[in-house]
Amino acid sequence: MSQFEKSILITGGAGFIGSHVIRRFVNNYPNYHIVNLDLLTYAGNLENLTDVENKTNYTFVKGDVMDTAFINQLFDKYQFDGVIHLAAESHVDRSITDPLAFLNTNILGTVTLLNAAKDHWKDFSGKMFYHISTDEVYGSLGDEGLFTETTSYDPKSPYSASKASSDHFVRAYGNTYALPYIVSNCSNNYGQNQFPEKLIPLFINNIKTGKPLPVYGDGNYTRDWLYVVDHAIAIDLIYHQGKSGDTYNIGGFNEWKNIDLIKVMCSIMDRKLNQPEGTSEGLITYVKDRPGHDRRYAIDASKINRELGWKPTVTFEEGIEITIDWYLNNSEWLENVTSGEYLKYYQKQYS
Ligand code: NAD
Ligand code: TYD
């Protein structure tokens, strides 16, 4: 008999959002055993989790969500009560150059986990398969309107098509096999530990190192931004209090045109680096647009607010300061993830 009340598999826990979810669950639920399954791709980094790695209710396992035999063994060994599935290929630009990698990890990987859950959970009572997804499945908005939980899916990039497909598979397993599930679709996250290929950490790093800031197209694309810890709080709440079979949209009530956001970041960076106002803006370089670039994403997060009482706790003004400070104070982390040194180290350690 296990000493723990629950055993939970969190996939992709060495990545950006996953590491914040792992930290929250390991610290807040000492009575749960948290198993972090992560392949440690370029985006997964155990340095994100040094503060929890020695906790007795935490276990890291390196492995691939597509590896059926391995996933089955894991379910046998740890007898999971719940799965919180974050492992994915997550960057739109990479999905444009290598769509198959997204099909494999995001669709096949999700179905592999669904099969394991379906086959191992003979009794679905007390079980939950929670899929972490994106608002990008809804497609692109014009100047008006918001994505709600009932907005039709209309994915437009290989990334969003793969996430939409995996969402559909999760719901199909709920419908066909009565697998208990929840899906949440969140807007763009920012914060500590995000790999510097996404807009905010890439631009912080480029300003720091005096490199150009590549603004795609006219820069008037709009995104809703949420501080990552608030997403982790929402995931905790949904896992524990969400209704099985439901979908929850999560957003920051915080829309920005890219160029306006970039200018705010430039101004903060000038202040923090003690350089004349306008220095960072001088690095802005308009470049060729991303193919099929979605114009606007905006989330109506009123359901999770109304039903579960969630709302963001950190304003954008606070969150962006915390984030910039973190990247300025963690040069070694940035150096490691951008140089590939980290990858060499962990690939050797876990091979
Ligand atoms: P990330 O790229 O930072 O991390 C992904 C993690 O998954 C990495 O640790 C990586 O090693 C791991 N991984 C990749 N392939 C794997 C495989 N085959 N087997 C096991 N592990 C594997 O991603 P993120 O930004 O933290 O996003 C996490 C999840 O949240 C994704 O499902 C993403 O679609 C979703 N999401 C992200 C955002 C965002 O703004 N970043 C917004 C909404 C939803
Ligand atoms: P990104 O962080 O890649 O997230 P997503 O595409 O999933 O929304 O990009 C956010 C926005 O910033 C998006 O409109 C594309 C734009 N962008 C740039 O203009 N330049 C860049 O170098 C990057 C990475 C993104």
Side-chain angles (χ1 to χ4, degrees), residues 229-246:
V229 173
D230 277 322
H231 190 186
I233 294 171
I235 289 171
D236 180 353
L237 205 58
I238 290 171
Y239 182 79
H240 287 99
Q241 293 176 35
K243 196 164 147 256
S244 180
D246 261 23

Side-chain angles (χ1 to χ4, degrees), residues 12 14-18 37-45 63-66 86-90 105 132-134 159 163 186-189 194 198 231:
F16 167 48
I17 301 170
L37 164 65
D38 197 296
L39 188 58
L40 299 179
T41 67
Y42 79 94
N45 185 343
D64 192 333
V65 287
M66 284 183 284
L86 296 105
E89 288 292 339
S90 68
T105 300
I132 307 303
S133 191
T134 167
Y159 165 66
K163 292 297 290 187
C186 187
S187 60
N188 288 54
N189 285 214
Q194 188 169 33
K198 307 271 169 60
H231 190 186

Side-chain angles (χ1 to χ4, degrees), residues 140-165:
S140 180
L141 290 163
D143 290 342
E144 300 293 318
L146 301 170
F147 298 132
T148 72
E149 286 81 359
T150 55
T151 301
S152 299
Y153 273 34
D154 187 18
K156 290 173 179 302
S157 73
Y159 165 66
S160 54
S162 68
K163 292 297 290 187
S165 176

Side-chain angles (χ1 to χ4, degrees), residues 128-200:
M128 179 52 68
F129 191 103
Y130 178 10
H131 186 227
I132 307 303
S133 191
T134 167
D135 62 351
E136 305 190 19
V137 297
Y138 298 121
S140 180
L141 290 163
D143 290 342
E144 300 293 318
L146 301 170
F147 298 132
T148 72
E149 286 81 359
T150 55
T151 301
S152 299
Y153 273 34
D154 187 18
K156 290 173 179 302
S157 73
Y159 165 66
S160 54
S162 68
K163 292 297 290 187
S165 176
S166 53
D167 289 1
H168 286 320
F169 268 105
V170 174
R171 295 192 181 104
Y173 273 58
N175 182 62
T176 309
Y177 309 107
L179 185 83
Y181 76 90
I182 296 181
V183 176
S184 61
N185 300 85
C186 187
S187 60
N188 288 54
N189 285 214
Y190 70 97
Q192 304 91 311
N193 300 120
Q194 188 169 33
F195 191 84
E197 62 183 353
K198 307 271 169 60
L199 179 73
I200 289 181

Side-chain angles (χ1 to χ4, degrees), residues 197-217:
E197 62 183 353
K198 307 271 169 60
L199 179 73
I200 289 181
L202 175 74
F203 278 35
I204 296 171
N205 194 28
N206 283 13
I207 293 171
K208 208 176 144 207
T209 50
K211 291 197 197 123
L213 306 177
V215 178
Y216 297 163

Side-chain angles (χ1 to χ4, degrees), residues 15-29:
F16 167 48
I17 301 170
S19 59
H20 290 274
V21 175
I22 292 273
R23 175 171 303 106
R24 186 170 178 87
F25 273 73
V26 169
N27 287 332
N28 286 11
Y29 303 103

Side-chain angles (χ1 to χ4, degrees), residues 3 24 46 55 57 81 118 133 155 178 182 187 195 235 245 248 250 268 278 292 308 318 332:
Q3 67 185 108
R24 186 170 178 87
L46 289 177
K55 300 265 177 155
N57 64 332
D81 300 290
K118 168 175 80 65
S133 191
I182 296 181
S187 60
F195 191 84
I235 289 171
Y248 296 88
I250 309 168
I268 301 174
L308 304 181
E318 291 162 346
E332 205 183 332

